[in-house]
Amino acid sequence: MTTHTTRRLPMLTRCALASLLTLGAWLPVPALAAAAPPAAKLQQTRQVPAAFDAEVDAFLKAYWALLPEAAVAAGEYAAAARLPAPTAANRQAQLRFSEAWLQRLARLDRARLTPAQQGDLALLQNHLRGSIWSLREFRSWQWDPSEYNVAGAFGELLNKDFAPLPRRLALIERRLQQVPAYYRAALAQLQEPSPEHLRLAIQQSEGALATFATEIPQALQQAQQQAQLPAAAAQRLARHNAAAERALQAYIAALKALDARQTAAGTGRSFRIGQAAFEAKFGYDIQAGVDARGLYERALQHKEALHQRMSELSDRLWPGLFGDAAKPAERLDKIARVIEKLSANHVSPAGYVDEIKAQIPALAKFVEQHDLLALDPTRPLQVRETPAYMRGVAGASISAPGPLDPQGATYYNVDPLDKYTPAEAESYLREYNHWVLQILSIHEAIPGHYLQLLHANKSPSKVKALFGNGAMVEGWAVYGERMMMEAGWGDMDGQPSPEMWLMYSKWNLRTVCNAILDYRTHVLGQGQAEAEALLEREAFQSKTEASEKWHRAQVTAVQLSSYFAGYSEIMALREQLKAQRGAAFSLKDFHTEFLSHGSAPVKMVSELMQQQGKRR
């Protein structure tokens, strides 16, 4: 999978807060009387859930102050003018915050909370424990300079219409003044970064230069043309912007010099995080009903089942494609020949983005006609080229508004193909051929990430909407692909299309091989040759796609496992509820009920849905 969603809130290691613990009053947890009359007990029963909601509000108030960029991503702009520098003092403030809130939340009487609130409590505790582990054990702030990039929040403030342009520019100006200190502090944190993360940071930071060189000046010019900004204010903002741009240029130059020194000396941390860190990160990030090793073994079994299904489809397609020509004796060779033949059917490089734009209304119409899930025509999806500062990890992604920004735009980011040579572009387009490009848009848009996040933002639980579980988010998008195929997407004359099903199986195989690649790379020490053999020979991916996926496996860990983890658990839950509910089972009701719990881990959603079913 070359896709991801970009709305998830960061762990506490991304930014920090000075004087955090002075913010907000500590709300007391109500003491419960040992013996009380029935009326008083009823009053207490109501007070405990209400007290929890008050605690969540207090937590979020402090959290937004701790992480202004996470606040902006969620649609909360009260602290948007602040850009905390990533210093050691701020990391200590983050640790104090996490430890203090874990103690505070532990004082709540979990047994008296509603099932939904118990889930919220578990999510908050997992998030805080994961943050402590990340700061103390994982320590990516030392070796991953790609964590230090200010462009994202600047882009949010420029593109979101939460306030008139002059007000947003005032926030931007205040943030600009803090950029030099931010990058000085970021550089001071680095200790033998991995070469792969170092070069990713250089690439993305060079992309971020456009924020200061082009985007902010354009917004400033627009405000001046509309007579919304006095000349003196415009000149002052321009000076701060130029200083911020110079600070970023200096940071890039320092990273390049560091890369040169490490290359000459043969130093730098390995990008592999190892078994212990992988299992720990998997536990905090995925929150599945299986550990990392168990998911890896499940993926191996699923790969074999897909190969068998693809072999059968290839047998059906062979005569129409190759006539009487003899089939290869080796199963994988046969499948590869059929896929190679079909993959010649793809759009031109110039028509790539336009084809994606044309698919969105067709997918929406199909979902409506087949009554699969409710749409929201008031929240349109916008297809755009991926901003330069976001490139270098995935070829497509969704940037969704936060739950606190209900009117924000959702963007379907598509990397332009101009970085490729003609041969590389052809390889890429063969990978994203006529059939696969449709599945890509199902995954990213409808009914995938775009639609899931619209429903998540409407969840009554702030915690489940804000602290989304990546495996659930990615798993839903993968499940959406399978669900659309089962509903008849791509059928010809009312009959399942073997071409579409073969290419869907190839795409689903990527999900499976993502998990295999992830585990083998970081735990089993797999090298590039072995990785590319898995991707090209067993997953039938193009050389360009395999090369980019190997790069992604190096600069991420655990995230590639999230797709298969979430998908396999959603499918298992659906089949379990179908068996339990029998004729009363409704696919649309299942989808609506599942998504109503925000972006909670599938294991948690399963428990909540099972409880709801018992109360019916």
Side-chain angles (χ1 to χ4, degrees):
M1 199 75 55
T2 60
T3 61
H4 70 303
T5 181
T6 59
R7 204 213 66 186
R8 289 191 67 211
L9 298 180
M11 281 290 200
L12 303 185
T13 54
R14 308 285 300 195
C15 301
L17 167 71
S19 306
L20 166 74
L21 297 181
T22 64
L23 292 172
W26 287 73
L27 299 180
V29 179
L32 300 178
K41 288 186 178 180
L42 178 61
Q43 180 70 11
Q44 290 172 351
T45 301
R46 291 171 177 168
Q47 284 178 344
V48 174
F52 177 79
D53 292 340
E55 288 290 81
V56 168
D57 289 339
F59 173 84
L60 290 176
K61 180 180 178 181
Y63 190 85
W64 300 143
L66 176 71
L67 288 171
E69 294 202 19
V72 170
E76 168 58 56
Y77 305 102
R82 297 183 54 256
L83 178 61
T87 62
N90 279 331
R91 285 196 299 277
Q92 290 304 310
Q94 294 169 34
L95 284 168
R96 289 194 298 271
F97 172 87
S98 296
E99 290 167 344
W101 270 99
L102 277 174
Q103 293 174 9
R104 179 170 173 171
L105 293 172
R107 297 201 298 267
L108 290 167
D109 187 347
R110 185 181 184 278
R112 298 198 177 193
L113 300 179
T114 68
Q117 287 177 328
Q118 291 176 4
D120 288 351
L121 177 61
L123 282 178
L124 288 177
Q125 290 171 328
N126 178 80
H127 184 80
L128 292 168
R129 290 180 184 125
S131 297
I132 293 171
W133 172 82
S134 185
L135 284 164
R136 287 183 172 159
E137 306 295 333
F138 198 52
R139 303 171 71 86
S140 57
W141 48 270
Q142 287 185 337
W143 50 264
D144 182 4
S146 70
E147 289 191 357
Y148 304 118
N149 192 329
V150 303
F154 278 111
E156 296 282 311
L157 295 176
L158 285 169
N159 295 321
K160 290 185 174 180
D161 295 329
F162 64 91
L165 181 57
R167 183 182 164 198
R168 288 183 282 134
L169 287 173
L171 294 173
I172 286 170
E173 180 184 359
R174 291 167 64 186
R175 287 180 63 86
L176 286 170
Q177 296 175 58
Q178 301 163 77
V179 169
Y182 177 94
Y183 278 117
R184 285 195 300 270
L187 197 60
Q189 310 313 307
L190 299 180
Q191 300 179 27
E192 288 196 74
S194 87
E196 293 77 12
H197 290 92
L198 183 52
R199 289 158 196 165
L200 174 63
I202 292 170
Q203 176 190 345
Q204 292 187 330
S205 295
E206 288 178 334
L209 283 170
T211 301
F212 307 105
T214 304
E215 295 168 13
I216 291 177
Q218 286 177 346
L220 185 57
Q221 183 180 28
Q222 178 185 343
Q224 289 179 287
Q225 289 173 344
Q226 297 174 354
Q228 294 179 311
L229 203 65
Q235 292 171 2
R236 186 178 64 246
L237 192 151
R239 288 196 303 272
H240 293 313
N241 183 60
E245 184 178 1
R246 289 193 298 272
L248 179 53
Q249 289 171 334
Y251 178 66
I252 294 168
L255 293 183
K256 289 181 175 179
L258 177 57
D259 186 32
R261 291 195 302 272
Q262 288 193 165
T263 301
T267 57
R269 181 193 187 278
S270 170
F271 66 86
R272 303 182 199 277
I273 69 171
Q275 181 174 5
F278 193 93
E279 285 285 2
K281 195 173 193 311
F282 185 95
Y284 290 122
D285 291 1
I286 305 299
Q287 301 178 69
V290 65
D291 62 10
R293 179 72 190 188
L295 184 75
Y296 171 68
E297 293 173 350
R298 181 188 296 173
L300 292 174
Q301 295 173 357
H302 203 71
K303 175 167 68 74
E304 171 57 29
L306 279 169
H307 281 165
Q308 181 58 37
R309 173 62 173 154
M310 294 172 77
S311 177
E312 295 167 359
L313 289 166
S314 296
D315 286 338
R316 290 178 56 190
L317 289 165
W318 185 274
L321 295 173
F322 299 103
D324 295 331
K327 300 174 190 173
E330 170 58 46
R331 180 176 65 175
L332 296 182
D333 291 339
K334 174 186 64 181
I335 298 170
R337 284 279 305 278
V338 174
I339 289 174
E340 181 182 16
K341 186 76 169 179
L342 292 175
S343 296
N345 184 352
H346 62 73
V347 300
S348 67
Y352 177 65
V353 175
D354 287 340
E355 177 64 21
I356 289 176
K357 289 180 179 179
Q359 290 172 354
I360 304 306
L363 290 169
K365 182 178 179 180
F366 185 91
V367 168
E368 285 187 318
Q369 288 179 336
H370 290 76
D371 201 27
L372 299 174
L373 193 61
L375 303 179
D376 186 351
T378 67
R379 301 291 299 279
L381 177 65
Q382 300 179 34
V383 180
R384 68 173 181 181
E385 288 191 359
T386 307
Y389 64 83
M390 289 170 53
R391 298 176 193 172
V393 178
S397 66
I398 285 288
S399 293
L404 306 181
D405 183 21
Q407 302 307 315
T410 302
Y411 297 101
Y412 181 172
N413 307 305
V414 182
D415 280 13
L417 304 184
D418 51 11
K419 67 178 179 179
Y420 296 126
T421 66
E424 289 172 337
E426 172 65 17
S427 175
Y428 185 89
L429 290 170
R430 289 181 68 88
E431 183 69 26
Y432 291 92
N433 55 58
H434 169 72
W435 297 276
V436 171
L437 197 57
Q438 297 172 53
I439 302 170
L440 172 67
S441 290
I442 290 172
H443 180 99
E444 292 296 337
I446 300 173
H449 289 319
Y450 161 64
L451 210 50
Q452 183 266 320
L453 291 170
L454 283 182
H455 281 258
N457 284 355
K458 298 175 182 178
S459 169
S461 166
K462 295 178 184 178
V463 173
K464 294 185 182 73
L466 289 165
F467 296 91
N469 174 260
M472 182 275 178
V473 173
E474 298 296 356
W476 170 265
V478 177
Y479 166 78
E481 303 157 12
R482 176 60 180 249
M483 177 259 287
M484 289 286 279
M485 292 295 297
E486 291 173 338
W489 178 265
D491 286 1
M492 300 294 292
D493 299 323
Q495 297 297 316
S497 164
E499 294 90 348
M500 192 77 206
W501 273 98
L502 179 65
M503 288 301 181
Y504 160 75
S505 300
K506 174 181 179 293
W507 180 270
N508 192 244
L509 191 58
R510 293 162 57 131
T511 297
V512 174
C513 287
N514 276 352
I516 297 171
L517 174 69
D518 198 22
Y519 192 84
R520 285 181 178 173
T521 298
H522 289 281
V523 177
L524 302 182
Q526 173 178 254
Q528 181 173 359
E530 185 183 357
E532 292 184 350
L534 167 71
L535 298 173
E536 293 180 40
R537 171 129 180 99
E538 296 189 65
F540 312 104
Q541 295 177 18
S542 68
K543 185 169 291 294
T544 299
E545 179 69 20
S547 176
E548 293 188 353
K549 185 60 65 66
W550 166 243
H551 166 71
R552 185 172 171 185
Q554 295 172 86
V555 298
T556 66
V558 174
Q559 197 274 335
L560 282 172
S561 297
S562 63
Y563 302 87
F564 183 62
Y567 163 71
S568 58
E569 293 197 329
I570 294 172
M571 285 293 295
L573 172 61
R574 188 189 73 175
E575 296 310 300
Q576 180 183 6
L577 292 178
K578 282 176 69 174
Q580 289 177 357
R581 298 179 183 178
F585 179 84
S586 160
L587 191 60
K588 183 178 183 179
D589 288 348
F590 167 75
H591 297 154
T592 303
E593 184 180 356
F594 182 84
L595 296 182
S596 71
H597 297 288
S599 299
V602 179
K603 181 180 179 182
M604 182 181 295
V605 176
S606 176
E607 293 170 355
L608 291 169
M609 291 180 70
Q610 297 282 3
Q611 291 170 356
Q612 288 176 354
K614 292 177 181 178
R615 292 195 296 269
R616 286 185 174 132

